[in-house]
Amino acid sequence: MCQLLGMNCNVPTDIVFSFTGFALRGGRTDVHHDGWGIAFFEGAGVRHFVDHQRAVDSPVATLIKTYPIKSRNVIAHIRKATQGEVALENCHPFMRELWGRYWVFAHNGDLKAFNPVLDGPYRPVGTTDSERAFCWLLQELRSRFGDTRPALAELGAALGELVPRIAVHGTFNMMLSDGSALFSHCSTNLFWLVRQHPFDTAILSDDDVRVDFSQVTTPHDRVAIIVTQPLTTNERWTACAPGEMQCFVDGLPQKNIFPPPAAPGMSE
């Protein structure tokens, strides 16, 4: 299946170290060779890069590894196609507008018999189950809350109800962000950690690269990394449980955002 990478921070931070190891999984250290993409939030804007080439061969990926774009929320994806041909329009992350903000979404998994009625402004451009899920989520959020973004607790409660209705159709590891928070859901594999003071050296598992974060951070910095499989060999990663949802704000997981899981069921 695909690979996901997310970053949520309390100050603008570059993702060069994590992305360097992550990109190697797009054709060198793993078999995910059907395209890739990454999105960086910057204020009200988003830098959005996608490519249908393998991440290890993509000149755009080389740019990302050498150009330290700083952001407080980043979502990246390396694709191994299960639904939809290998094409630019099927590369994650996908991006749409809701409540005057850009929303970015990426998915790892395979959804079976997932054909919801899409009767609002959100329609897929490509042919993936992932983009259908994203469009349906935004449609349902807009239907519930109208033109005004709800408070975080209300938004978490809504996602805590809606996401399981998608996940019942198969594997739904996903990341979603509007630039103020990063939401995730685990069906099978998702890990996270928080880097904060006192910082230490981290060693990539996919390449012979290490960084002493104490030399490139301040004592006030805090960075959460969420990924399909741990990126480093010497840090303590927390495994998400199947069905677990997380919300990260300012580099920390937020507690009591999501309600207890309800019995799943999807009304088409």
Side-chain angles (χ1 to χ4, degrees):
M1 291 186 182
C2 308
Q3 293 268 323
L4 296 169
L5 169 64
M7 182 179 75
N8 171 269
C9 320
N10 67 336
V11 295
T13 305
D14 75 69
I15 201 170
V16 170
F17 175 73
S18 294
F19 184 76
T20 296
F22 183 71
L24 293 176
R25 298 177 180 181
R28 182 172 301 172
T29 61
D30 215 325
V31 295
H32 305 82
H33 50 61
D34 296 326
W36 70 279
I38 190 168
F40 303 82
F41 284 89
E42 289 188 42
V46 176
R47 295 181 189 261
H48 184 219
F49 304 89
V50 292
D51 195 347
H52 65 281
Q53 298 184 63
R54 301 192 314 168
V56 293
D57 300 326
S58 169
V60 184
T62 301
L63 168 69
I64 301 303
K65 288 185 285 187
T66 56
Y67 180 29
I69 299 171
K70 292 184 182 294
S71 173
R72 292 180 61 184
N73 285 279
V74 178
I75 292 179
H77 180 274
I78 295 175
R79 186 173 185 235
K80 183 179 180 183
T82 54
Q83 295 187 37
E85 63 181 346
V86 178
L88 199 60
E89 65 268 24
N90 289 330
C91 291
H92 310 216
F94 302 105
M95 185 169 69
R96 297 288 195 281
E97 177 275 335
L98 174 63
W99 302 318
R101 305 179 69 101
Y102 287 119
W103 287 74
V104 169
F105 170 90
H107 165 225
N108 160 17
D110 189 17
L111 301 174
K112 302 297 186 183
F114 180 71
N115 296 294
V117 174
L118 297 175
D119 53 9
Y122 302 107
R123 306 294 175 91
V125 176
T127 54
T128 65
D129 53 338
S130 307
E131 193 179 14
R132 286 195 301 276
F134 182 35
C135 289
W136 183 79
L137 268 178
L138 295 187
Q139 173 181 285
E140 294 303 300
L141 290 174
R142 186 181 181 91
S143 175
R144 289 182 181 219
F145 299 111
D147 295 328
T148 304
R149 185 189 188 277
L152 184 62
E154 293 178 275
L155 182 57
L159 290 172
E161 178 188 340
L162 294 170
V163 167
R165 293 170 63 185
I166 301 174
V168 73
H169 288 267
T171 304
F172 194 58
N173 303 298
M174 73 88 185
M175 293 183 188
L176 173 72
S177 180
D178 69 342
S180 65
L182 193 154
F183 302 94
S184 68
H185 175 266
C186 174
S187 282
T188 53
N189 291 307
L190 211 58
F191 295 80
W192 63 274
L193 61 73
V194 173
R195 295 188 182 120
Q196 58 188 345
H197 183 77
F199 291 94
D200 205 345
T201 298
I203 304 170
L204 286 179
S205 58
D206 293 86
D207 202 358
D208 186 20
V209 176
R210 64 184 63 204
V211 168
D212 182 356
F213 283 107
S214 68
Q215 301 300 310
V216 294
T217 57
T218 76
H220 306 291
D221 295 355
R222 188 169 55 243
V223 178
I225 301 292
I226 310 97
V227 71
T228 301
Q229 293 291 340
L231 289 168
T232 55
T233 59
N234 66 325
E235 295 181 290
R236 181 174 295 179
W237 293 83
T238 299
C240 294
E244 182 178 358
M245 295 190 69
Q246 291 273 15
C247 172
F248 295 87
V249 177
D250 291 334
L252 284 176
Q254 305 298 296
K255 297 181 180 179
N256 303 319
I257 293 295
F258 303 106
M266 173 86 186
S267 56
E268 302 285 333

